[in-house]
Amino acid sequence: MAAARVSPTANLLRKSRLFALPQALHTPQDPPSSRIVFESETATSPHPTRASIVTPQSSLARGDWGLKRPLPAKSTSEKSSRPVVRMNALDTYEHVTDFESAADHTMTLEKFQELHMPMSLPSKVNYATSMTPRHQSPFETFVDNTETSKTLGEAGAKQFRHTGPWLAGQTEAEFAAYLKQIRRQKPELLQKMRERFDAKRYAEARKQAQDNGEDLDKVQPPKITDAEFKKYVKSLREDPFALGPVVFELLDLPSAPTVPSERIGRKYYQSPGTKLSAPEYAVTGPPKTHPSAGLSYTRSHASVYNHPQYGPQAHQKPVEARILRPKGRFKGRVSKAIAGVGGIAVEDLNAMTFIDQGTPPGLTAFDATIPGGAKYWVSPIRAAVDSDGRIGLSSYRAGASAKAPYGIKDYKKPNATSIADAARRDAQIVPRMDSHRPNTPRFKASGESAPRKPMRGTEDIARSLMENLNAPKTE
């Protein structure tokens, strides 16, 4: 069969990489707050919203990025050795291409991939203990499910996405709009509810036949009348504890957060056990993307770090973390230290273990005397993506066994009792005490008026001392 002919324009669009770009995502919304929020317009967003575009070196020399018009070299190739751009608008009213650098998220991705960290499901990390949180990959069969997955019907299967919205994260207007949508679907929902009631009565009949020792094959599904179904619906309305699980399962809603202790004695609509892949999602909401976010597809930590000289290592090479904000009071409250690891801001990295190994310089207070800024070495242990698309990195301070194969040493700030670097040298060299006064003689014989040349070396000092001892005494 001959291939269908297409026009040159259609053929151009079919082979164009520009039209293959995905649509831009919505920018993350800030949580509602009555306080004044100060933000930076140039700060890096938590997650990328537009695709990054690169071009080969042959096209980069001509400014050709596959767009409608070439991009200036002053803003691309001359500004960075590895130019990467993101396009905001292909063509504007002023006939220009609106673009900006995409090196922020691109470099963050490359730095994260150098950590060789598998993605995990979110879990709380308790730094007060030495217990490492258990790693659970989001690619396991029983947790990597959506509302359309075939393995969702298996026992113990969980999912990271539901058909219904997360009610705890909706505003009043969004919840009112969702109620209108549910009211329009009332006949279909009642039909599903009746099928659920039929299955429940049939299961009760089989259970009763099994207790009586009857043949289960002869048990027929009971016929439910409209009066019985209305009575069942009325009983659910009178009992919120029984109606809650039915509503959540019927509308396929993610489980709500736990009920506060102050409302335990009151009547409330109880939600069933969470079906989300991680318990943290029940508090913060289901993830907007896949729990891995495409950062890494490694499923476990089962990898060996082979050192070229010392062989396989139990720990990977430590990573240097920069202290971005030391401990102290921030916005009227006691804040934790914030450090940067691989382009990711992490809060309070293993603060409890600093008691035994000593607090790194610059952690408790800002210290401008540290060359290059305050830093210390860490070993990443867990990486996960929360429901808002932010990368959560957990790490412990690197131990001596992890730093020894690579010759890594922590920076120690010199003090009054520190030994000078000259005393640590292997050569037998002793610094002169009068090195700061090279033109002033150390010893001066009596009766001399003209200054002598400075003496150098041990022999000169001994000769001068002997001359002073043998000199005649004057009265």
Side-chain angles (χ1 to χ4, degrees):
M1 182 176 179
R5 292 184 178 181
V6 294
S7 63
T9 304
N11 189 26
L12 177 63
L13 298 180
R14 179 178 295 181
K15 296 181 179 180
S16 175
R17 296 178 59 188
L18 177 62
F19 284 86
L21 291 176
Q23 295 183 357
L25 302 178
H26 297 287
T27 56
Q29 297 181 357
D30 299 328
S33 176
S34 59
R35 299 181 178 180
I36 300 177
V37 180
F38 299 95
E39 294 183 350
S40 174
E41 297 180 355
T42 60
T44 304
S45 58
H47 56 80
T49 57
R50 298 180 183 273
S52 301
I53 303 176
V54 295
T55 184
Q57 291 294 334
S58 58
S59 301
L60 180 62
R62 303 189 305 269
D64 183 11
W65 290 76
L67 304 178
K68 187 176 181 180
R69 55 181 59 87
L71 301 182
K74 187 176 181 180
S75 303
T76 55
S77 58
E78 296 181 0
K79 191 175 182 180
S80 175
S81 59
R82 300 176 57 190
V84 183
V85 300
R86 68 170 66 96
M87 185 183 60
N88 297 327
L90 180 61
D91 194 6
T92 61
Y93 183 78
E94 295 81 7
H95 300 288
V96 295
T97 301
D98 186 9
F99 71 96
E100 61 183 2
S101 176
D104 47 3
H105 292 105
T106 304
M107 294 301 297
T108 301
L109 176 61
E110 294 180 0
K111 291 178 181 178
F112 180 81
Q113 290 177 350
E114 291 180 359
L115 300 178
H116 306 287
M117 291 291 299
M119 299 304 299
S120 308
L121 291 176
S123 61
K124 290 184 178 181
V125 180
N126 188 7
Y127 292 114
T129 62
S130 59
M131 297 295 295
T132 304
R134 179 176 175 271
H135 165 71
Q136 187 175 7
S137 175
F139 298 104
E140 298 295 337
T141 308
F142 64 95
V143 295
D144 191 11
N145 300 310
T146 61
E147 68 276 4
T148 59
S149 300
K150 297 180 180 179
T151 58
L152 194 59
E154 299 180 359
K158 297 183 179 296
Q159 58 191 101
F160 65 89
R161 188 175 63 186
H162 291 260
T163 306
W166 190 53
L167 300 181
Q170 284 188 328
T171 60
E172 186 176 356
E174 293 175 346
F175 182 69
Y178 181 67
L179 286 181
K180 292 181 180 179
Q181 179 183 357
I182 294 301
R183 292 190 182 98
R184 291 194 297 265
Q185 301 176 358
K186 184 177 180 179
E188 293 84 357
L189 296 177
L190 288 177
Q191 181 63 26
K192 292 181 180 180
M193 194 172 182
R194 183 154 188 167
E195 293 176 358
R196 173 188 172 89
F197 181 57
D198 294 344
K200 179 182 178 182
R201 293 290 298 272
Y202 182 56
E204 293 176 354
R206 290 177 59 88
K207 181 64 171 59
Q208 185 176 1
Q210 183 179 8
D211 295 341
N212 297 334
E214 301 177 359
D215 190 4
L216 298 179
D217 297 336
K218 296 181 179 180
V219 178
Q220 299 295 331
K223 295 182 179 180
I224 308 299
T225 60
D226 296 341
E228 293 177 348
F229 178 67
K230 292 180 180 180
K231 184 178 180 180
Y232 169 69
V233 174
K234 186 177 180 180
S235 63
L236 291 177
R237 290 177 177 175
E238 295 177 354
D239 188 6
F241 279 81
L243 180 60
V246 175
V247 172
F248 274 85
E249 185 175 354
L250 191 64
L251 302 179
D252 195 15
L253 299 174
S255 58
T258 56
V259 179
S261 57
E262 60 185 16
R263 298 184 58 89
I264 289 181
R266 308 177 186 178
K267 289 186 177 181
Y268 59 91
Y269 292 90
Q270 185 180 12
S271 61
T274 178
K275 291 185 178 180
L276 294 171
S277 55
E280 296 294 327
Y281 291 147
V283 181
T284 60
K288 296 179 175 60
T289 61
H290 190 270
S292 67
L295 296 175
S296 175
Y297 298 96
T298 308
R299 301 185 65 174
S300 66
H301 290 267
S303 57
V304 178
Y305 306 98
N306 192 13
H307 193 273
Q309 183 177 0
Y310 301 101
Q313 301 293 316
H315 308 280
Q316 63 173 331
K317 184 177 180 180
V319 183
E320 196 171 21
R322 178 184 295 273
I323 300 177
L324 303 178
R325 190 184 72 190
K327 296 180 182 179
R329 300 191 65 84
F330 183 74
K331 292 184 178 181
R333 289 186 289 180
V334 178
S335 61
K336 301 178 181 179
I338 296 180
V341 180
I344 304 171
V346 185
E347 184 181 25
D348 195 10
L349 297 183
N350 199 20
M352 298 303 296
T353 58
F354 292 158
I355 299 176
D356 299 332
Q357 302 181 8
T359 304
L363 183 70
T364 56
F366 176 73
D367 191 353
T369 61
I370 301 177
K375 304 174 186 176
Y376 63 97
W377 297 90
V378 297
S379 296
I381 55 173
R382 289 292 179 271
V385 178
D386 59 6
S387 58
D388 295 331
R390 300 174 183 267
I391 304 176
L393 190 63
S394 304
S395 62
Y396 284 150
R397 190 182 182 190
S401 59
K403 294 182 293 185
Y406 305 96
I408 298 175
K409 295 182 180 179
D410 293 333
Y411 172 78
K412 293 183 179 180
K413 189 175 181 180
N415 49 33
T417 59
S418 300
I419 303 176
D421 295 339
R424 302 179 185 273
R425 298 176 184 175
D426 297 334
Q428 299 295 332
I429 300 176
V430 179
R432 289 287 303 271
M433 300 296 295
D434 56 349
S435 59
H436 63 285
R437 295 183 301 173
N439 298 327
T440 304
R442 186 172 181 180
F443 297 98
K444 182 178 180 181
S446 60
E448 293 184 359
S449 59
R452 298 174 57 185
K453 295 183 180 180
M455 300 180 181
R456 299 178 181 179
T458 308
E459 296 180 359
D460 297 339
I461 298 175
R463 187 180 299 108
S464 176
L465 181 61
M466 294 299 297
E467 291 178 357
N468 294 333
L469 293 176
N470 298 330
K473 298 182 179 180
T474 59
E475 296 182 356

